[in-house]
Amino acid sequence: MTIEEQLPTTDRAADADVSVVPFWRRVPRPLPFSRYSGVYGLVLVIAYFTITLPGVFFSEVTLTTALASVAITGVLAIGVMIPFAAGLFDLSFASVAGFSMVMMIWLSVQTTYPEVVLAAVAIAVATAVGAMNGLLVAYVKLQSFVVTLAMSSVVLGLAEYLTKGAQIYGLFTQEFKNLGRGGIGPVPYLVIVLAVLAFVAWVWLEHTPAGRKTLAVGSNPVASRLAGIHVARVQFLALVASGAIAGLAGVLLASQVGIASTVTGPGYLFPTIAAVFLGATQVRGRVNVGGTVIALLLIGAGIKGLQLSGAEPWVTHTFNGTILLIAIAAGTWRTRRASVGH
């Protein structure tokens, strides 16, 4: 009897399977396009602008400026992602961030308190706005879309009241300015703040009971309520967190820009929403931190490439709108496909 004949049947079958399967089928497959289309899009964008803008796009200076410009959008996207995971829409985040920035700069002119105190006040006010959104949505049972849209107008009016329609130049220390304009090598400090915030959000959403409850409420609030989850509390805290993170983004924006203007904050509305919606179509097929980061890099690379190409401002707005439409269409297609599959 040969050695092969002495082997157990299962072992011989396994050896046969390995020998029959071609080598190329045993090679790990690349990232599936359906879940990582943003990665492929990012590679194509980088390749295109590297070829069309040789020596300009693919450089340390471009990398630093691109990361710095996308950092505030990233912080806001992490904040918006939380109520979105709970099935809510927060459209006030951009105006809240702008109001936080205006308040931070206005207080630096009107008072002599250190920046840490001013930042605490600005973030506290933004958190209070988020709490008001949460009360109206979670307990009064108003639609989050309508409530946050109305709150956006309210805080924009408050910002205009503080600025009196004029620009205010902040009186900050050099250390605070370095937070928004400095960095470690080519990596801005703002990107480090974003990375820490994204890591915390990832741990919370994917590896804690509170995160799983939030996803459950966003998926099916009725079933979550029957399972014993306090749906109203989850929704309330999600909007509070969104307001607090928007306040933090406003403080970071104040350190980066240093000039209070009521048009600065609302400009982050569309790119942030586009990043969150596109990120929800990536990696897990639902809202997640990894997908949001991929979407941020794709949008940031595209906008930076367009700016370096000398594109007019309307091209950037069109790019953001197109990304948002693609994200919504992809999410709708995925939902319909999943429902048909079941």
Side-chain angles (χ1 to χ4, degrees), residues 142-165:
L142 301 181
Q143 291 293 325
S144 61
F145 182 91
V146 177
V147 169
T148 57
L149 184 61
M151 191 62 70
S152 176
S153 182
V154 171
V155 295
L156 181 60
L158 293 175
E160 290 179 348
Y161 172 77
L162 291 180
T163 61
K164 307 298 182 183

Side-chain angles (χ1 to χ4, degrees), residues 42 45 49 57 297-307 319:
L42 177 62
V45 167
F49 286 116
F57 182 79
L297 294 176
L298 173 59
I299 294 173
I303 292 177
K304 177 55 65 174
L306 291 172
Q307 291 174 344
F319 177 80

Side-chain angles (χ1 to χ4, degrees), residues 99-115:
F99 180 52
S100 175
M101 177 196 70
V102 168
M103 175 167 288
M104 181 81 187
I105 295 174
W106 182 82
L107 288 173
S108 72
V109 175
Q110 300 294 326
T111 69
T112 58
Y113 292 109
E115 282 94 349

Side-chain angles (χ1 to χ4, degrees), residues 197-262:
L197 182 62
F199 177 76
V200 172
W202 172 74
V203 172
W204 170 80
L205 189 64
E206 305 292 345
H207 300 284
T208 66
R212 290 191 288 270
K213 288 179 181 179
T214 302
L215 290 171
V217 170
S219 176
N220 193 326
V222 176
S224 299
R225 186 177 294 106
L226 294 176
I229 299 176
H230 199 303
V231 174
R233 181 187 302 162
V234 170
Q235 293 176 336
F236 171 78
L237 292 177
L239 287 169
V240 169
S242 179
I245 295 176
L248 172 63
V251 172
L252 298 176
L253 197 57
S255 68
Q256 184 183 55
V257 178
I259 303 174
S261 174
T262 56

